[in-house]
């Protein structure tokens, strides 16, 4: 007998080009859950992205580019329901309802909000976005995204975990006020691997300009990898372990990231061979970079090919976005109607 399928939901902000940090931190987990046959909802959080907008941005274009890359990596719009947050505008209504029962003090403890507040206090003249109502309400919008599809599990990276816990609190508060209506989900860690950036910084990120991208062609890959700083004298490794989680943090700057990537992409014996060279302090960074660049390019090649495949152009992506938005809309509207009924507003006459 097959077990009941779990409802999995996760959102990703539209950032356009996807990099190795995105792949190993999120995309590979999304694909695994999809291939396990769970009921997966993955959406592009374009409303959330508005908290950092400073001028007009091509959100639509970035969303399409991202979706084409997702499909190229193996996310399958036939198996997962992949949609755009703003194609489900009833999420905004649920956010409004949830916002009415959410204390400001509770939201002020949100990390995203607190970080921004601290930055502004340190530098009141700093350019960029205001401390907006939308930013304070960020976790309420996330709660609406999650609760509207009755998600059981929400895989997120560590930075988003608190927001998911807040969604659980908000759901519980709603239920204790208005009766059992919302399904309280579980946050699940993605065992998210945080990749260091090519500059040796602790995190690979688009705004840090230190990414290796999934659509990088071989010349770019080689150029980026050659540019990784390895001139610092290697510290002798004092650890016996071959585990990159133990080795990488002990290596200076860029050397660590080369080993981390090699471990992810190359066969074990190749990785271990280079660990041996490092321990013996041989001169080998040129070969290491060359070898790694080849593995990276081999990893990217099929993704680039599928990205450009005829069935993955803008028109095809729009088709599945539309179809998937249609599929999730009744699920979401049903939930909003149940919340309206629970509160006592009654059904929307417009929708009936
Ligand atoms: N805030 C998340 C991020 O920045 C994206 C997101 C929006 C999300 N809504 C969500 C993640 C709901 C999980 C569930 O990465």
């Amino acid at each position: 007998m097959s077990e009941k399928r779990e409802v999995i939901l996760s959102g990703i902000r539209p950032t356009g080009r996807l990099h190795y940090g995105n792949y190993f931190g999120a995309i590979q987990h999304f694909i695994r859950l999809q291939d396990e046959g769970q009921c997966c909802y993955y959406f592009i959080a374009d409303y959330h992205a508005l908290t950092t907008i400073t001028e007009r941005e091509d959100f639509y274009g970035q969303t399409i580019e991202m979706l084409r890359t997702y499909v190229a990596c193996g996310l399958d719009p036939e198996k997962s329901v992949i949609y755009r947050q703003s194609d489900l505008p009833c999420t905004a209504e649920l956010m409004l309802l949830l916002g009415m029962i959410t204390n400001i003090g509770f939201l002020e403890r949100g990390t995203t909000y607190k970080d921004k507040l601290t930055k502004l206090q340190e530098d009141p003249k700093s350019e960029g976005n205001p401390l907006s109502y939308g930013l304070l309400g960020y976790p309420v919008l996330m709660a609406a995204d999650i609760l509207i599809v009755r998600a059981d599990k929400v895989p997120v990276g560590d930075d988003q975990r608190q927001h998911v816990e807040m969604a659980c609190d908000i759901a519980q508060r709603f239920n204790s006020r208005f009766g059992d209506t919302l399904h309280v989900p579980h946050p699940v860690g993605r065992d998210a691997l945080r990749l260091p950036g090519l500059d040796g910084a602790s995190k690979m990120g688009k705004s840090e300009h230190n990414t290796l991208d999934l659509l990088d062609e071989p010349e770019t890959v080689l150029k980026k990898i050659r540019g990784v700083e390895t001139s610092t004298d290697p510290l002798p490794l004092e650890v016996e372990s071959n585990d990159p989680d133990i080795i990488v943090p002990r290596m200076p700057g860029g050397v660590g990231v080369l080993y981390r990537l090699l471990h992810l992409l190359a066969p074990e014996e190749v990785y271990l061979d280079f660990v041996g060279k490092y321990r013996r302090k041989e001169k080998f960074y040129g070969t290491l970079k060359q070898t790694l660049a080849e593995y990276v390019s081999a990893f990217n090649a099929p993704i680039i090919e599928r990205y450009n495949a005829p069935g993955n152009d803008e028109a095809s992506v729009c088709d599945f976005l539309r179809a998937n938005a249609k599929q999730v809309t009744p699920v979401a509207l049903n939930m909003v109607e149940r919340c309206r009924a629970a509160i006592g507003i009654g059904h929307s006459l417009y929708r009936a």
Side-chain angles (χ1 to χ4, degrees):
M1 209 180 66
S2 71
E3 283 176 39
K4 193 180 156 292
R5 286 170 87 207
E6 284 190 307
V7 178
I8 313 281
L9 169 120
S10 199
I12 319 99
R13 295 164 65 107
T15 50
R17 291 220 117 190
L18 291 168
H19 54 72
Y20 273 60
N22 300 129
Y23 185 89
F24 290 100
I27 304 173
Q28 70 167 6
H29 299 285
F30 293 169
I31 295 170
R32 178 177 45 82
L33 290 161
Q34 156 195 287
D35 292 343
E36 280 172 17
Q38 311 293 4
C39 169
C40 298
Y41 292 104
Y42 299 127
F43 67 94
I44 305 293
D46 55 349
Y47 282 153
H48 274 103
L50 301 177
T51 55
T52 49
I53 186 173
T54 48
E55 54 193 87
R56 191 176 190 288
E57 264 181 59
D58 182 15
F59 285 108
Y60 177 75
Q62 294 188 349
T63 302
I64 300 294
E65 180 173 341
M66 249 175 98
L67 290 172
R68 288 177 62 198
T69 318
Y70 275 124
V71 173
C73 290
L75 263 200
D76 182 348
E78 302 280 325
K79 290 191 196 159
S80 298
V81 187
I82 305 169
Y83 58 98
R84 203 163 58 131
Q85 189 180 30
S86 63
D87 282 328
L88 211 57
C90 55
T91 309
E93 183 181 354
L94 184 58
M95 178 195 181
L96 179 144
L97 298 179
L98 299 174
M100 297 302 168
I101 57 157
T102 307
N103 292 350
I104 292 183
F106 170 81
L107 292 176
E108 281 170 343
R109 291 197 289 275
T111 47
T112 308
Y113 177 81
K114 271 203 315 206
D115 291 350
K116 175 85 189 171
L117 183 64
T118 318
K119 259 196 209 136
L120 279 175
Q121 280 166 345
E122 283 165 3
D123 179 11
K125 286 202 204 67
S126 71
E127 291 289 313
N129 311 287
L131 203 53
S132 66
Y133 165 64
L135 187 71
L136 182 65
Y138 196 100
V140 188
L141 182 55
M142 262 180 81
D145 294 325
I146 296 168
L147 302 172
I148 211 161
V149 297
R150 299 180 60 80
D152 294 306
K153 288 197 175 147
V154 186
V156 284
D158 285 344
D159 60 328
Q160 295 298 316
R161 202 182 163 91
Q162 185 208 24
H163 290 151
V164 180
E165 282 160 4
M166 290 169 98
C168 298
D169 285 348
I170 294 173
Q172 272 153 352
R173 194 165 321 148
F174 187 99
N175 289 346
S176 63
R177 277 267 193 104
F178 303 116
D180 224 357
T181 314
L182 294 168
H183 178 66
V184 183
H186 292 285
V188 289
R190 265 194 313 232
D191 300 325
L193 183 74
R194 179 178 275 207
L195 273 191
L198 292 182
D199 57 355
S202 66
K203 187 182 169 205
M204 184 178 288
K206 197 182 168 191
S207 40
E208 285 78 20
H209 304 290
N210 62 9
T211 64
L212 184 61
D213 296 344
L214 295 167
L215 299 180
D216 281 343
E217 298 281 354
E219 320 80 79
T220 315
V221 169
L222 194 58
K223 203 166 138 227
K224 284 187 178 178
I225 291 187
R226 282 216 180 115
V228 172
E229 186 59 60
T230 44
S231 56
T232 344
D233 279 339
L235 301 173
L237 271 178
E238 281 153 20
V239 275
E240 284 301 306
S241 168
N242 291 324
D243 179 348
D245 280 334
I246 298 171
I247 296 180
V248 169
R250 291 183 163 241
M251 291 181 169
V255 184
V257 68
L258 297 178
Y259 274 85
R260 165 72 73 187
L261 288 167
L262 193 70
H263 182 259
L264 287 170
L265 303 174
E268 187 80 9
E269 65 274 13
V270 176
Y271 169 74
L272 291 179
D273 184 44
F274 276 103
V275 171
K277 287 188 172 35
Y278 185 85
R279 290 197 167 123
R280 295 189 297 272
K281 296 196 202 155
E282 289 171 19
K283 292 243 170 282
F284 62 93
Y285 286 138
T287 346
L288 170 62
K289 287 179 173 179
Q290 185 69 39
T291 309
L292 177 61
E294 280 162 22
Y295 282 108
V296 170
S297 293
F299 187 81
N300 287 4
I303 299 178
I304 296 173
E305 195 182 318
R306 287 193 297 259
Y307 180 88
N308 293 313
N312 194 28
D313 56 3
E314 180 176 337
S316 318
V317 171
C318 286
D319 282 348
F320 84 66
L321 272 186
R322 195 170 301 117
N324 286 348
K326 272 197 188 140
Q327 193 180 332
V328 60
T329 295
V331 178
L333 280 179
N334 182 319
M335 198 66 238
V336 177
E337 289 298 320
R338 288 176 59 174
C339 291
R340 290 173 57 120
I343 296 172
I345 308 177
H347 287 288
S348 157
L349 298 177
Y350 168 73
R351 281 182 201 134

